[in-house]
Amino acid sequence: MRYVEEFMHEFFLARIVEEKRHQANRSPFRRKYFAENCRYDSRADTLRRMESERIVVIDDGESDSRVTTEQTFHYSGGIRKIRLRYHLQLLNGDWLIRDVQSACLVCEGRGDSNCPYCKGKQWLDTEQIRG
């Protein structure tokens, strides 16, 4: 069985390769419908965000583990750090991602009970992230 950290680094690299492939496949569509400098629907910052992801904390368990990461998100107002928490499970001797949570973007994951979005939960579940 490989270490959680090794699994996550392999995942990061594979996801970057997949994103590059996806963007290359969309290139003819983008050229047909969008001006070269139009950023709408371009996923321009997605790759940069993925490449910036780093492990912050690993809570390693025997069959379940949690990995907290941080990504750098560039937007028109500046730069923001986004924290994610991956829930991993051991299946047939290897790790699989079971769920991913995002730190609340409103209270920045502080768990503020007055936060109108997370109401103190700190982490948002997949259903809340997708809206």
Side-chain angles (χ1 to χ4, degrees):
M1 175 177 79
R2 58 187 163 157
Y3 293 107
V4 169
E5 185 173 10
E6 182 184 350
F7 169 81
M8 290 302 296
H9 285 295
E10 181 183 307
F11 164 69
F12 293 160
L13 292 173
R15 184 180 57 181
I16 288 167
V17 167
E18 182 64 18
E19 180 61 25
K20 286 179 179 179
R21 186 190 63 75
H22 178 71
Q23 287 187 17
N25 286 341
R26 291 195 64 213
S27 185
F29 169 79
R30 297 259 330 137
R31 279 193 305 273
K32 182 175 181 177
Y33 293 105
F34 294 96
E36 189 174 325
N37 62 346
C38 180
R39 293 178 54 81
Y40 176 78
D41 194 41
S42 70
R43 298 178 56 97
D45 294 322
T46 301
L47 190 58
R48 182 172 20 171
R49 185 177 42 79
M50 287 178 175
E51 290 171 335
S52 76
E53 189 164 19
R54 301 288 178 258
I55 294 172
V56 177
V57 175
I58 297 176
D59 295 320
D60 203 0
E62 229 174 88
S63 61
D64 286 325
S65 292
R66 288 190 311 249
V67 178
T68 303
T69 67
E70 188 174 83
Q71 298 178 346
T72 303
F73 179 72
H74 297 262
Y75 66 105
S76 60
I79 298 173
R80 184 175 198 161
K81 298 290 184 180
I82 297 173
R83 286 184 306 133
L84 298 173
R85 184 164 65 179
Y86 294 84
H87 294 262
L88 307 180
Q89 68 182 40
L90 192 60
L91 184 66
N92 298 325
D94 205 0
W95 296 104
L96 288 176
I97 298 168
R98 175 173 50 84
D99 195 17
V100 181
Q101 295 176 300
S102 174
C104 179
L105 295 175
V106 175
C107 72
E108 297 179 340
R110 288 188 299 273
D112 181 353
S113 61
N114 295 321
C115 177
Y117 198 63
C118 77
K119 298 174 180 33
K121 291 182 182 177
Q122 183 180 5
W123 294 99
L124 303 176
D125 293 324
T126 305
E127 296 79 32
Q128 293 171 292
I129 297 169
R130 285 186 284 174

